[in-house]
Amino acid sequence: AKHPKIITGSVVSLQAIEPKGRHSLAMPGEEIGTGLIGVKSRCQKQLKWETEPGLTCESVGREGTPPWTTKTPPPTTSKSMDQRSMVQGTNDLSPKSSQNLPVVPVNVSKYPFTITKGQINPMATDFCHFKQSFSLIWSTVVDPLEALEKLLRDFAVPLAKVSGERLVEFGRGWDNGWKKAPPVISLLSVLENWEEVLGLVLRPGQRYKGEGGIEAAAIHIQSCWRRHSARTAYLRHCQRKWAAGTIAISWLMHSQMCRVRKALQARRFRQLENYRSRAQHLAANWKHIQSSKRTIIHIPSLDEHVEVIYICPRHLGDDILHYYTSLLKCDGATDGADTGTTQPSSCARRFIILTPEAVDYFPTHNMCLSTLLKYSPRTLKRIRNLIQGKQAYIVGGVAHMDDLAVADELGLYETLAELMTQNMDVQRWLFKMDSEHGGLGTAYCDIRYLSCYKWALQEYRRYGTELWKTTWIQESVLLRYLDEIPEWLARYARPAKTSCYPNWACFLKTYLRQGGVVEAYPPSDSVTCLTVDLLLEPGGEVTMLSCGDQLHGSCQLETIGSTVPQTSVRPETLHSICVRVGQACLQRLIVGYVSVDLATFLSHSTMEQRVWAIDLDLTYSDQLAMTQMLLMMTGGTLNCRAGCLEVPMPVREKCCEHQIATKPPVVNRYAVIGTRLFHSNLSMLYHSVFFKMCRAHGIGFNMKRKQGTVFALYDSSERRGIGMIAVSEDLQGALVTFARNLSVIHQEISASKMQGETNFKGLIKDIEDVLQMTVQNKRRVLEDKPAT
């Protein structure tokens, strides 16, 4: 018969023990902790399943600090929760390092006994011997012994060999009343075969083979599934929260954009109303403003009543600022030859250069100067301070619209076919963009490449000029043109400047998007173009400010310079044409500075001179700016109606006080202006070195004789472009001086293997052609003059 499992002792009487398989190791009066064992017992003490670094099984005295710690568990009375905590505790059994392993004495135990399948045989000889030997302190042994039995049953350990001495030493620490249960590895250190038992305990799934294993497995499966379900729900919640946030932000952005759009529309409407109000005020008070002291923003002027605030699109270098300051000091009114000192001119004090700070904020953005100034609050504030209490108005550059959009279906082919049919004598057709400037947005196509042109010309000659104006006669030619024009343009149309538009397809795409005009090139082998600058005053008056014959480079559609004054059209005829153009602009409410391009040629049919208006730019042109510089240096006046540049010569100082001051003599001068001179090798020279080179070759301006060469410096960032003015007594002399200057500069800054990119050569070639034509005209005049 089996003996009941009762542990007795001679000194300590034990309370009744729970049934088999339900031993407990907790001390009474303490809370249940989380660990491997979660079942209530007499002692109410629980083991901790984490190993503590440096933990050993050495004996600890009564006054020492216990080597184990406990964790405060969550309050629970459920058996399933105890089993779950038991399962979770096994995850921390594996030691993190060699320091976590127990230190076991190497001496042989005198009181060993065995535990089989988690049960102690109280009648075994070895256990009875151990119990009798430590009967006086048996109360300190019972708790760790029951905890060890529970551990071995939970993990189904078949055999464990206990060292009695180690168990007693371990029990002393247990009896000290630790606040936390000892770690499992410390509990296994009382075994002689602890390594074998520890390996079995750490085996995956071993916990589910022992006592309560099925319930522990169910708890673990449930916890994993609940964790998976909770995480899936959490991720779904996060995704929905992100979607809701995105929708909310998008709606807020949409609402904000709508508010901003409405505010911008209202602001633009107010700006338009303010502009109309200011325009009416300007027109009504223009006479008073013109005669009183005023401030002009952006446009230089030499009027003594005008202060100039020049808005520059880039930061100018000190050398350029010093050059223009020195230039303004000698404003043409000062002789500068007989005086030893140069007095500062009032022009220098009335000329202020400002650069918007937005130039630094948007270095890579292609913005117009007005847009940059709009986003430069410091510059705007300074301008407001400068013009405070003064009458001021702004003269802008090229007029443009920010939102320019033109439909692709412009009917280009139909328009071109109609024009070609109505003007059979035109040999070349031009395509100009509305935003064209300097010939960059211009393309051309010669009609001689059209296969049906010879047949169309025969039809035109067969019917004659008068009958050809009838629409039904032109219909057959018009239909042929419509069929062949697309292929003709695709094969033979060429952009004037391939640097911007390499082929016709690229040009046509921009041309249709921005809009433009179709223009006839004058039907003549000898065509002279000229530019006239007009001032359309708000009061309705039209004033000619500058006029000059154009000079071209390698591209005949690109203007590089001009000769001032113009000599190709009779002055009175030119004035009449410009007045009519100006009146037409004023009728369309266009005021300010405009630049008109004209073309003059001889008609083959009538042999009379004809003048075509070919371009109109609503801008303050480069030619006008250079003309103002010319007038400042010479102190002269450009009389466009008479077609002459009148320059007063300096008068010698009076010999005595009683001598009557004589009026300075006035002579005529001619000038050649280069506005867009370009040479890539100029970037290798500083401006100071460039001026020294020019002085070494005698290139300069004589203030006494009011002739010579003056340079205009710009493009300070790359220093590859300059402006130049050559003044002489006659047109031929001015052309020769200008061409010589270009040749000298090119030779000085170029080597045989580094010619660089330049338009000097093309301009010199055009000047040579003009000189040859001038000589021919003089010879023709002499031949036509009757012999005396």
Side-chain angles (χ1 to χ4, degrees), residues 283-301:
N285 300 274
W286 174 249
K287 290 295 182 180
H288 173 69
I289 294 175
Q290 194 175 24
S291 60
S292 61
K293 193 172 182 179
R294 61 195 184 275
T295 299
I296 299 178
I297 302 176
H298 184 231
I299 301 303
S301 175

Side-chain angles (χ1 to χ4, degrees), residues 36-48:
L36 178 62
I37 302 174
V39 183
K40 294 182 181 180
S41 68
R42 169 179 63 87
C43 298
Q44 294 292 322
K45 180 167 285 189
Q46 195 170 15
L47 298 177
K48 177 184 177 185

Side-chain angles (χ1 to χ4, degrees), residues 407-464:
D408 291 341
E409 295 78 15
L410 294 178
L412 174 63
Y413 300 147
E414 292 79 0
T415 303
L416 181 57
E418 292 177 1
L419 291 174
M420 291 171 58
T421 305
Q422 295 170 5
N423 302 273
M424 296 295 297
D425 56 340
V426 176
Q427 302 295 316
R428 172 177 289 184
W429 290 92
L430 305 179
F431 306 90
K432 293 184 177 181
M433 297 181 187
D434 287 340
S435 58
E436 179 267 337
H437 185 68
L440 298 179
T442 305
Y444 65 92
C445 192
D446 294 332
I447 199 172
R448 68 176 184 268
Y449 298 112
L450 196 62
S451 60
C452 66
Y453 177 66
K454 293 182 178 180
W455 168 81
L457 198 58
Q458 293 175 359
E459 292 291 313
Y460 171 72
R461 292 172 181 173
R462 183 164 65 94
Y463 288 101

Side-chain angles (χ1 to χ4, degrees), residues 438-439 442 444 495-498 551-560 762:
T442 305
Y444 65 92
K497 296 286 290 185
T498 56
L551 294 176
H552 307 90
S554 57
C555 177
Q556 293 298 317
L557 300 177
E558 179 187 12
T559 303
I560 300 178

Side-chain angles (χ1 to χ4, degrees), residues 478-645:
L478 178 63
L479 295 177
R480 287 286 299 273
Y481 277 172
L482 286 175
D483 291 338
E484 297 186 11
I485 279 178
E487 183 180 357
W488 171 62
L489 290 176
R491 293 183 60 183
Y492 299 105
R494 296 290 183 270
K497 296 286 290 185
T498 56
S499 58
C500 296
Y501 305 100
N503 50 52
W504 168 253
C506 297
F507 178 88
L508 182 62
K509 182 179 180 181
T510 308
Y511 179 81
L512 294 178
R513 184 174 67 251
Q514 295 186 359
V517 297
V518 180
E519 181 181 298
Y521 189 80
S524 176
D525 296 333
S526 178
V527 179
T528 301
C529 297
L530 59 152
T531 301
V532 182
D533 292 287
L534 306 176
L535 173 59
L536 308 181
E537 301 181 5
E541 297 182 5
V542 179
T543 306
M544 294 179 61
L545 301 179
S546 175
C547 58
D549 294 327
Q550 295 180 3
L551 294 176
H552 307 90
S554 57
C555 177
Q556 293 298 317
L557 300 177
E558 179 187 12
T559 303
I560 300 178
S562 59
T563 60
V564 177
Q566 65 85 26
T567 58
S568 57
V569 181
R570 293 174 57 186
E572 56 272 14
T573 302
L574 181 62
H575 180 266
S576 175
I577 294 174
C578 293
V579 169
R580 291 200 300 268
V581 173
Q583 292 296 335
C585 293
L586 289 173
Q587 292 177 2
R588 292 164 176 80
L589 303 180
I590 299 175
V591 296
Y593 295 92
V594 298
S595 180
V596 182
D597 288 348
L598 305 173
T600 178
F601 59 96
L602 290 177
S603 175
H604 292 294
S605 59
T606 61
M607 296 305 296
E608 294 179 355
Q609 185 182 25
R610 301 183 63 181
V611 180
W612 285 5
I614 59 176
D615 201 359
L616 177 66
D617 294 327
L618 308 181
T619 180
Y620 192 96
S621 69
D622 295 338
Q623 175 180 284
L624 180 55
M626 296 293 284
T627 302
Q628 293 292 335
M629 187 175 183
L630 168 65
L631 299 179
M632 181 193 71
M633 293 303 300
T634 60
T637 303
L638 181 60
N639 190 344
C640 296
R641 299 197 66 173
C644 60
L645 174 60

